[in-house]
């Protein structure tokens, strides 16, 4: 009965003693077990979670909770280091790797009393847009098992039905999105380099926030692209995202790319008057392949703001269509560099080959990385060759500046927030998704999210409506650097207007036959 | 413009990662083709951008030792070690040349 409530509501329940942290933890752990088929979790830290819940309970007993997050079950994407808990990045390279330290963001959550349930599944080393390319298998979108999706599916043969019809979560933070969407936790950490938090958020019907680059520490987040990576936040509502942001944001001496400005956590006001707001609609985001459904939803959203008195204008970000190409070059180049640390010597998988250091490294990496990772490393090295450096890497860095400047110009002209679609379509069935290779998919799927990473801007995907197939569609708001409060305030207003429906999950308990759906009542 | 075997070999050496099969090589070809679209953009007079935070100074802390003494923790994750050393196979031996290596590129 608690699962529908936002974290705020659950916090109130914890404070008032209507539910205890251990009860909450146990329910989430039990739900994780019954939704195992989603494959959202790689590691479930049952023992430590229960211990944390017990500690939290003692604090509530003394009337001294650490804060709003005390006792709240959370999940963390498996590319964040967690002390004592395996961190694999869904790769053979790190299977069995137990980190000696917590990523700063993980430590911050724990310091606030959050209960860490486990590590969530992803594409190997966060490379991908489907959460299908990790060594632990693909993540299934919980909406595949929703009444809303099932009643819209054309029934094929009974045996085929659920097994072949399930849809992807999007990626690469699919496990985290699925975990939040299926109520097994109240908030989850993802990462976002090209859209990896916003994409699965849109497909799974949850809120996905990409903060401004430099706001949240990357210390302990296994890096992909140092100049674009950010930790991402996935929650069921915008208010919750604001609270988690408040816990995580701020300078970290261990990450020198975090800005030193003082960060003040904020509560989101309940915006009623949007007449002073200027919303920009970038025309280039009407990208080829954008489904007519999403186009229509986007248009309706623009009208929503217009009818409420906001100024809604079409704007242009002329270099948008090059952002994917630019990303492709910069990403593979930084990946080539970042993946060099995996050589088997100090941690991770090590090959038995021992003829020479170089051959051991080569064999280790041959055995440890999947095709996608190896492909990006090789491409990156190609672009970084002396003969290619100017023409590809430096060229891409110049195009990056043009992309970032597009945004500067638009925001400088008086636009407050940009409104765009997050994805080109609703979630596709897994069987269809795997027909194209990872790079092609990523290039297609990241088109609408990538530019925000190029420019370092904050962006959020808010669940907006259901598609004709009964699957979630999200819309994206892009804000100005370090203006998360304004961004989230507008997102919250929008969330209130669209009233996105709750997922009606139908979870079968194999031992006990069909189980009634997890329809949840909020607590407020 | 196809990538030559020499360059492919060089990449395997630099990256210490293998192409594995024709698909791997094709993947690189496609990646280069895709990246070539960048040349459509006019970047005359544009400075390369390293970081979106280029207008700020990075944080530099005091040069004081504040952490450490965790040798055992760090050694725990290594497969081959002796006392306080990570053990590596003999160094200064270059990766075997194309003809002598087990690589898909041999038949290329």
């Amino acid at each position: 009965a608690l699962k529908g409530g936002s974290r705020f509501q659950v916090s109130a329940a914890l404070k008032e003693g209507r539910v205890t942290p251990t009860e909450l933890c146990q329910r989430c752990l039990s739900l994780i077990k019954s939704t195992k088929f989603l494959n959202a979790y790689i590691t479930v830290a049952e023992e430590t979670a229960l211990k944390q819940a017990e500690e939290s309970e003692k604090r509530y007993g003394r009337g001294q909770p650490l804060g709003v997050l005390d006792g709240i079950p959370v999940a963390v994407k498996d590319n964040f280091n967690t002390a004592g808990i395996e961190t694999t990045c869904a790769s053979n390279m790190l299977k069995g790797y137990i980190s000696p330290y917590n990523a700063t963001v993980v430590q911050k959550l724990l310091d606030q009393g959050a209960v860490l349930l486990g590590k969530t599944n992803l594409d190997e080393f966060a490379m991908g847009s489907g959460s299908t390319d990790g060594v632990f298998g693909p993540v299934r979108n919980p909406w595949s098992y929703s009444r809303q999706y099932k009643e819209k599916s054309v029934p094929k043969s009974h045996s085929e039905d659920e097994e072949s019809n399930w849809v992807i979560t999007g990626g690469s933070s699919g496990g985290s999105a699925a975990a939040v969407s299926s109520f097994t936790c109240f908030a989850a950490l993802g990462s976002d380099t090209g859209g990896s938090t916003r994409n699965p958020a849109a497909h799974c019907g949850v809120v996905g926030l990409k903060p401004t680059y430099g706001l949240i520490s990357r210390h302990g987040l296994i890096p992909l692209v140092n100049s674009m990576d950010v930790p991402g936040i996935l929650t069921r509502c915008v208010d919750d995202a604001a609270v988690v942001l408040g816990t995580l944001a701020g300078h970290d001496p261990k990450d020198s790319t975090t800005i030193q400005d003082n960060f003040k956590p904020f509560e989101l006001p309940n915006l009623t008057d949007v007449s002073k707001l200027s919303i920009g609609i970038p025309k280039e985001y009407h990208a080829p392949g954008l489904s007519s459904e999403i186009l229509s939803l986007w248009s309706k959203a623009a009208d929503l703001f217009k009818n409420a008195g906001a100024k809604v204008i079409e704007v242009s970000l002329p270099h948008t269509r090059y952002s994917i190409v630019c990303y492709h070059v910069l990403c593979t180049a930084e990946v080539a560099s970042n993946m060099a640390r995996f050589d088997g010597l100090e941690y991770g998988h090590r090959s038995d080959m021992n003829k020479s250091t170089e051959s051991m490294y080569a064999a280790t990496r041959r055995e440890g990385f999947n095709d996608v990772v190896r492909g990006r490393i090789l491409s990156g090295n190609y672009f970084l060759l002396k003969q290619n450096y100017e023409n590809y890497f430096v060229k891409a860095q110049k195009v990056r500046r043009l992309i970032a400047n597009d945004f500067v110009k638009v925001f400088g002209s008086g636009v407050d927030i940009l409104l765009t679609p997050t994805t080109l379509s609703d979630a596709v069935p897994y069987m269809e998704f795997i027909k194209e290779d990872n790079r092609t998919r990523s290039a297609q799927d990241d088109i609408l999210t990538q530019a925000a990473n190029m420019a370092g801007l904050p962006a959020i995907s808010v669940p907006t409506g259901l598609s004709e197939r009964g699957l979630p569609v999200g819309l994206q708001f892009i804000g100005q650097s370090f203006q998360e409060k304004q961004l989230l305030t507008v997102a919250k207003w929008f969330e209130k207007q669209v009233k996105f429906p709750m997922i009606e999950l139908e979870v079968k308990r194999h031992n006990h036959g069909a189980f009634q759906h997890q329809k949840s009542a909020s607590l407020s | 413009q196809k990538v030559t075997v020499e360059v492919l070999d060089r990449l395997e050496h630099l990256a210490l990662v293998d192409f594995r099969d024709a698909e791997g090589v094709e993947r690189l070809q496609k990646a280069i083709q895709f990246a070539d679209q960048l040349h459509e953009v006019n970047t005359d007079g544009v400075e390369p951008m390293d970081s979106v935070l280029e207008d700020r100074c990075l944080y530099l802390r005091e040069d004081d030792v504040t952490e450490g003494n965790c040798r055992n923790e760090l050694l725990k994750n290594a497969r081959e070690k002796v006392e306080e050393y990570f053990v590596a196979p003999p160094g200064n031996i270059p990766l075997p040349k194309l003809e002598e290596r087990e690589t898909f590129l041999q038949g290329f």
Side-chain angles (χ1 to χ4, degrees):
Chain A
L2 288 165
K3 283 139 220 148
S6 76
R7 193 206 23 71
F8 260 174
Q9 296 166 331
V10 165
S11 299
L14 284 171
K15 226 174 175 179
E16 292 159 27
R18 280 180 278 147
V19 67
T20 68
T22 38
E23 274 169 1
L24 198 55
C25 182
Q26 274 159 354
R27 284 191 217 184
C28 286
L29 288 172
S30 158
L31 192 55
I32 291 175
K33 286 199 184 92
S34 59
T35 54
K36 205 158 180 208
F37 55 90
L38 294 177
N39 203 18
Y41 288 81
I42 293 177
T43 303
V44 180
E46 190 160 336
E47 269 182 47
T48 53
L50 286 169
K51 263 197 215 117
Q52 287 162 6
E54 272 169 37
E55 292 300 310
S56 171
E57 198 155 314
K58 287 189 199 142
R59 290 189 291 266
Y60 275 103
R62 294 195 296 268
Q64 294 171 334
L66 292 166
V68 186
L69 284 180
D70 205 331
I72 302 294
V74 299
V76 167
K77 186 175 182 182
D78 208 12
N79 60 351
F80 286 92
N81 279 289
T82 43
I85 300 174
E86 196 176 350
T87 299
T88 66
C89 292
S91 175
N92 279 319
M93 189 57 90
L94 287 179
K95 249 192 196 165
Y97 169 68
I98 308 239
S99 174
Y101 73 107
N102 280 321
T104 296
V105 290
V106 172
Q107 191 60 54
K108 284 187 169 187
L109 288 175
L110 294 175
D111 287 344
Q112 286 296 304
V115 172
L116 179 57
L117 293 174
K119 310 297 289 297
T120 57
N121 204 352
L122 59 156
D123 282 302
E124 182 162 337
F125 279 109
M127 300 186 200
S129 60
S131 303
T132 52
D133 277 326
V135 290
F136 298 103
V139 186
R140 300 187 181 200
N141 192 327
W143 284 82
S144 315
Y145 304 94
S146 67
R147 186 193 56 77
Q148 290 109 324
Y149 177 62
K150 286 188 186 166
E151 68 187 12
K152 296 291 177 86
S153 316
V154 177
K156 296 176 188 127
S157 76
H158 286 287
S159 56
E160 258 193 16
D161 221 11
E162 265 175 30
E163 274 322 290
S164 61
N165 225 14
W166 59 270
V167 299
I168 60 166
T169 50
S172 61
S173 311
S176 283
V180 173
S181 168
S182 59
F183 308 115
T184 58
C185 64
F186 286 79
L189 290 186
S191 66
D192 197 310
T193 305
S196 290
T197 288
R198 292 161 285 155
N199 176 293
H203 286 316
C204 293
V206 298
V207 170
L209 170 63
K210 172 213 170 294
T212 309
Y213 180 86
L215 184 63
I216 298 187
S217 174
R218 290 180 299 112
H219 176 75
L221 165 60
I222 294 173
L224 192 59
V225 183
N226 299 70
S227 67
M228 296 184 214
D229 290 350
V230 292
I233 296 170
L234 294 132
T235 55
R236 287 196 282 278
C237 69
V238 178
D239 270 326
D240 287 358
V243 174
V244 178
L245 180 70
T247 305
L248 301 182
H251 177 63
D252 180 15
K254 293 181 183 172
D255 177 357
S256 66
T257 59
T258 51
I259 59 160
Q260 294 157 69
D261 300 1
N262 225 346
F263 174 79
K264 279 214 275 288
F266 48 79
E267 243 184 67
L268 295 176
N270 273 316
L271 191 64
T272 44
D273 176 21
V274 294
S275 61
K276 298 200 186 65
L277 214 53
S278 172
I279 307 283
I281 309 287
K283 63 181 188 199
E284 291 85 2
Y285 279 65
H286 185 346
L290 185 65
S291 84
S292 50
E293 276 190 310
I294 299 196
L295 181 60
S296 157
L297 219 59
W298 183 22
S299 177
K300 284 205 195 103
D303 289 341
L304 201 69
F305 279 99
K306 212 181 290 175
N307 296 335
K311 181 164 165 222
V312 178
I313 54 172
E314 190 187 77
V315 295
S316 175
L317 298 168
H319 296 93
T320 300
R321 67 195 178 94
Y322 293 108
S323 92
I324 268 296
V325 188
C326 188
Y327 175 62
H328 166 72
V329 174
L330 294 179
C331 173
T332 50
E334 292 212 34
V335 159
S337 170
N338 278 321
M339 295 293 129
R341 71 193 68 195
F342 297 106
D343 56 22
L345 207 53
E346 292 166 56
Y347 46 73
H349 171 70
R350 176 174 173 148
S351 169
D352 289 331
M353 158 67 74
N354 62 359
K355 287 217 184 80
S356 69
T357 312
E358 283 214 15
S359 64
M360 186 278 274
Y361 289 175
T364 294
R365 292 155 71 81
R366 183 196 175 91
E367 293 160 21
F369 291 141
N370 75 0
D371 288 347
V372 177
V373 178
R374 286 196 341 272
R376 291 202 195 185
I377 293 173
L378 288 163
S379 301
N381 273 294
Y382 179 83
F383 298 132
L384 291 172
L385 287 176
K386 218 189 286 191
Q387 69 242 41
N388 296 327
Y389 197 81
E390 274 294 322
N391 283 336
Y392 290 95
F393 183 68
V394 177
K395 180 76 179 180
Q397 288 190 308
K398 292 180 180 178
V399 175
R400 181 176 187 176
R401 183 178 296 284
L402 292 175
I403 294 167
N405 283 346
D406 279 356
F407 284 102
V408 171
K409 280 196 204 103
V410 163
F411 286 128
S413 72
V415 169
D416 297 308
I417 303 262
L418 297 170
L419 168 63
T420 81
T422 311
T423 56
L424 293 175
S425 72
D426 58 1
V428 301
Y430 174 71
M431 297 310 289
E432 198 183 301
F433 185 79
I434 53 175
K435 287 190 190 144
E436 290 274 15
D437 74 282
N438 184 292
R439 192 189 54 79
T440 312
R441 280 296 180 194
S442 300
Q444 294 163 347
D445 302 334
D446 288 346
I447 254 174
L448 303 169
T449 48
Q450 210 301 300
N453 298 85
M454 262 316 155
L457 300 171
I460 185 169
S461 179
V462 179
T464 305
L466 293 183
S467 69
E468 266 172 35
R469 288 163 66 219
L471 295 172
V473 169
L475 289 181
Q476 171 178 240
F477 293 94
I478 304 176
Q480 299 173 66
S481 277
F482 303 108
Q483 301 303 313
E484 270 80 353
K485 185 169 181 186
Q486 182 185 53
L487 177 69
L488 291 171
T489 300
V490 173
K492 178 174 166 176
W493 179 87
F494 181 71
E495 175 187 63
K496 227 195 201 145
Q497 310 304 311
V498 298
K499 297 195 193 45
F500 183 77
M502 196 174 297
I503 183 177
E504 292 171 45
L505 208 54
E506 292 173 356
V507 178
K508 283 200 208 97
R509 272 244 202 98
H510 296 287
N511 298 333
H512 306 113
F515 186 62
Q516 71 196 52
H517 48 194
Q518 305 278 337
K519 196 167 188 182
S520 25
S522 10
L523 276 185
S524 56
Chain B
Q1 268 179 335
K2 284 232 157 201
V3 184
T4 62
V5 169
E6 285 76 34
V7 172
L8 293 174
D9 180 37
R10 177 145 178 71
L11 288 175
E12 282 201 345
H13 263 94
L14 282 173
L16 287 184
V17 140
D18 63 312
F19 281 98
R20 188 128 333 161
D21 50 30
E23 203 185 316
V25 177
E26 186 56 27
R27 199 176 286 128
L28 175 67
Q29 289 287 160
K30 287 209 194 106
I32 299 169
Q33 223 176 337
F34 190 66
D36 282 335
Q37 291 173 78
L38 278 180
H39 303 127
E40 294 167 23
V41 188
N42 183 346
T43 53
D44 291 342
V46 181
E47 282 298 301
M49 180 182 237
D50 292 314
S51 164
V52 297
L53 300 177
E54 61 188 2
D55 293 332
R56 295 175 186 256
C57 273
L58 284 191
Y59 170 71
L60 286 179
R61 68 187 182 101
E62 290 303 311
D63 192 11
D64 293 325
V65 175
T66 53
E67 299 188 300
N69 288 322
C70 51
R71 186 190 302 126
N72 291 332
E73 286 291 308
L74 297 178
L75 285 173
K76 259 192 213 152
N77 280 308
R79 219 192 79 167
E80 312 257 344
K81 52 203 172 207
V82 167
E83 291 179 11
E84 289 141 20
Y85 295 86
F86 293 111
V87 179
N92 271 333
I93 301 174
L95 208 63
K97 289 209 197 80
L98 184 61
E99 312 82 62
E100 293 145 33
R101 221 164 68 231
E102 225 185 274
T103 166
F104 161 75
L105 297 178
Q106 258 196 29
F108 221 55

